[in-house]
């Protein structure tokens, strides 16, 4: 117990309160998210392309919100942004039970998409406020493990509840976020030092403000001028369409075409979360031995194979295997790509480099349901997975070629666990 006690006292109590809230809210949200299209499709009775566009609306609003989240967290405080975001998500899940029309679903999915980046940015900023620089790597790692562990619990519970009543699953998800919002409202303290922020703001002259604005603009122009990096972002956005298609569409594909019920399917995303918790370190110990871009290319290749393999599967065990394959792609790619961005970004542009990297993730999640839904409705259900395979293979090939022509990427160090 001494090791756990030492670990506990290494971080402030509010950090552990955040970890508790992450477990509660993530478990709640993941109870219904894998089954969202099944639920919406059953209520609306629309083609898959129309129903899947709800996920695109969610992701598209999230892209817009990500540009606002940092400003709000710095101006009005991390705690306020987090509490409002959590409450908004809880309210949205509560009213999704009553939604009957496409417009109602679209508005509520947009509300969730608006809220998620607000919470994420607020939480990341608060963690950085609370934790000294030398302890942040481990703090973020614990955060990731807690998130994946909770995600492992949620779909299994959600599948059981959804097989009985979707209302129970949505009310459970809503309760998870509302409980976290209440905990944070009454027990968390604000970590933004508004006094320093006010003094710093007052000290700026109009000339300095104009200079800072010009610097920000020139900073992004410098990122855009890094053509190898922009090619990397584009290839990441392209390649991540494949796993996004699987995550979003495989639940409804499995139920509609092969009668895999939610109570059974829920164990598939749970497997992904368990692998992320227990296998990530072992996989990274192997990938760290190689240069970054070839490893990223291999991750994209495995992603593509996992997505394409769904076309060959006809039941739970097959879909489970496809998720296992896909998860190895995640274990290979995610730490590698994140570390790569940090390695090649100039110190004064690191935030901008990361911003564009995550923008690529959001773009893939916006486009994936539209592409998959179109292939399903206009060609055939299996065309979803063939399309995902081809897209993923294109990204993997692009990564391999980029490694040949981008010198600074070849020199980027391999990742540590993140």
């Amino acid at each position: 117990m001494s090791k756990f006690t030492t670990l506990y006292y290494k971080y402030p109590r509010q950090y552990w309160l955040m970890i508790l809230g992450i477990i509660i809210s993530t478990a709640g949200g993941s109870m219904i998210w894998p089954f969202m299209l099944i639920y919406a499709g059953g209520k609306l009775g629309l083609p898959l392309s129309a129903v899947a566009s709800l996920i695109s609306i969610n992701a598209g609003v999230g892209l817009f919100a990500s540009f606002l989240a940092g400003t709000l967290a710095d101006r009005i405080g991390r705690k306020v942004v987090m509490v409002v975001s959590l409450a908004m998500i809880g309210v949205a899940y509560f009213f999704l039970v009553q939604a009957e029309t496409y417009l109602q679903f679209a508005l509520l999915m947009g509300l969730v998409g608006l809220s998620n980046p607000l919470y994420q940015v607020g939480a990341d900023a608060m963690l950085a406020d609370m934790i000294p620089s030398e302890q942040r790597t481990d703090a973020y790692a614990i955060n990731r493990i807690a998130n994946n562990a909770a995600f492992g619990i949620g779909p299994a519970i959600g599948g059981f509840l959804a097989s009985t009543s979707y209302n129970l699953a949505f009310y459970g998800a809503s309760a998870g976020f509302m409980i976290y919002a209440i905990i944070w409202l009454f027990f968390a303290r604000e970590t933004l030092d508004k006094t320093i922020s006010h003094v710093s703001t007052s000290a700026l002259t109009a000339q300095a403000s104009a200079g800072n604005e010009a610097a920000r603009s020139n900073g992004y122009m410098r990122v855009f001028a890094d053509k190898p990096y922009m090619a990397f972002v584009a290839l990441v956005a392209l390649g991540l369409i494949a796993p996004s298609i699987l995550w979003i569409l495989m639940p409804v594909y499995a139920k509609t075409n092969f009668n895999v019920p939610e109570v059974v399917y829920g164990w598939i995303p749970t497997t992904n979360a368990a692998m992320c918790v227990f296998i990530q370190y072992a996989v990274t110990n192997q990938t760290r031995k190689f240069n970054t871009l070839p490893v990223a290319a291999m991750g994209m290749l495995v992603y593509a194979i996992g997505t394409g393999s769904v076309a060959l599967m006809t039941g739970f065990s097959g879909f489970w295997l496809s998720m296992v394959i896909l998860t190895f792609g995640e274990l290979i790619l995610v730490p590698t790509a994140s570390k790569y961005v940090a390695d090649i970004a100039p110190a004064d542009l690191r935030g901008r480099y990361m911003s564009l990297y995550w923008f690529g993730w959001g773009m893939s999640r916006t486009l994936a349901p539209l592409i998959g839904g179109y292939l399903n409705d206009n060609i055939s259900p299996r065309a979803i997975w063939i399309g995902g395979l081809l897209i993923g293979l294109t990204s993997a090939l692009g990564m391999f070629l980029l490694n040949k022509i981008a010198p600074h990427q070849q020199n980027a160090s391999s990742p540590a666990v993140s």
Side-chain angles (χ1 to χ4, degrees), residues 116-130:
N116 276 326
L118 298 179
Y119 169 81
Q120 190 60 58
V121 171
D124 283 348
M126 179 175 281
L127 192 151
D129 293 339
M130 294 189 295

Side-chain angles (χ1 to χ4, degrees), residues 39-357:
Y39 175 75
K43 271 206 163 184
L44 297 176
L46 296 173
L48 183 59
S49 56
V51 178
S53 67
L54 293 170
I55 304 297
S56 296
I57 291 171
N58 172 271
V61 173
L63 287 176
F64 169 76
S66 64
F67 289 102
L68 301 177
T71 300
L72 292 175
D74 286 339
R75 288 185 177 179
I76 66 176
R78 289 71 155 109
K79 176 180 174 178
V80 174
V81 168
M82 292 172 69
V83 170
V84 171
S85 170
L86 292 165
M88 287 167 60
I89 298 173
V91 168
Y93 282 151
F94 180 85
F95 282 106
L96 275 167
V97 176
Q98 282 80 42
E100 298 289 344
T101 67
Y102 180 87
L103 178 60
Q104 291 170 342
F105 271 97
L107 290 174
L108 292 170
M109 292 292 284
L111 181 60
V112 174
L114 174 67
S115 304
N116 276 326
L118 298 179
Y119 169 81
Q120 190 60 58
V121 171
D124 283 348
M126 179 175 281
L127 192 151
D129 293 339
M130 294 189 295
I131 308 297
S133 177
E134 64 275 9
Q135 297 180 354
R136 285 176 191 159
T137 299
D138 289 343
Y140 280 111
I142 294 170
N143 187 313
R144 175 174 167 81
I145 290 171
N147 186 75
N148 279 296
F151 187 81
I153 297 169
I157 298 174
F160 172 76
L161 293 176
S163 66
T164 303
S165 169
Y166 266 100
N167 289 3
L168 293 176
F170 275 99
Y171 289 142
S174 176
F177 283 98
M178 295 304 295
I179 289 171
Y180 188 10
I182 292 170
I183 290 173
W184 215 240
L185 177 63
F186 290 104
F187 298 102
R189 63 176 179 83
E190 177 57 65
T191 60
L192 173 65
D193 191 334
K194 296 182 179 179
T195 302
I196 293 177
S197 177
H198 175 71
V199 171
S200 299
T201 302
S202 299
L204 289 174
T205 62
Q207 181 179 1
S209 297
N212 286 340
E213 184 62 32
R216 283 193 291 270
S217 175
N218 292 335
Y220 272 109
M221 291 305 296
R222 287 165 60 194
V223 181
F224 293 141
D226 186 346
K227 294 181 181 179
Y229 177 69
M230 295 306 299
F232 171 79
V233 170
L235 290 169
V236 167
L238 178 67
L240 289 174
I241 290 174
S244 297
I245 284 176
L246 185 144
W247 273 106
I248 295 168
L249 297 180
M250 194 166 75
V252 66
Y253 174 83
K255 180 171 183 179
T256 302
N257 298 284
F258 300 98
N259 297 314
V260 178
E262 294 90 334
V263 67
V264 175
Y265 187 90
W267 292 103
I268 293 178
T270 292
T271 297
N272 167 271
M275 290 177 66
C276 290
V277 171
F278 295 109
I279 304 179
Q280 178 69 78
Y281 186 78
V283 172
T284 305
N285 271 342
Q286 298 302 313
T287 59
R288 73 170 75 246
K289 300 174 183 177
F290 304 95
N291 288 335
T292 306
L293 271 183
V295 172
M298 182 58 65
M300 286 299 184
L301 178 61
V302 177
Y303 262 153
I305 293 171
T307 302
S309 69
V310 179
L312 305 175
M313 306 308 179
T314 58
F316 170 81
S317 59
F319 300 134
W320 178 86
L321 179 59
S322 293
M323 177 61 79
V324 169
I325 297 171
L326 186 101
T327 302
F328 276 107
E330 177 181 345
L331 299 176
I332 294 168
L333 176 74
V334 174
T336 303
S338 298
K339 186 65 161 58
Y340 158 78
V341 178
D343 284 346
I344 62 100
D348 62 323
L349 296 176
R350 196 161 289 143
R352 297 173 181 88
Y353 270 69
M354 281 291 183
S355 175
L356 287 177
Y357 170 66

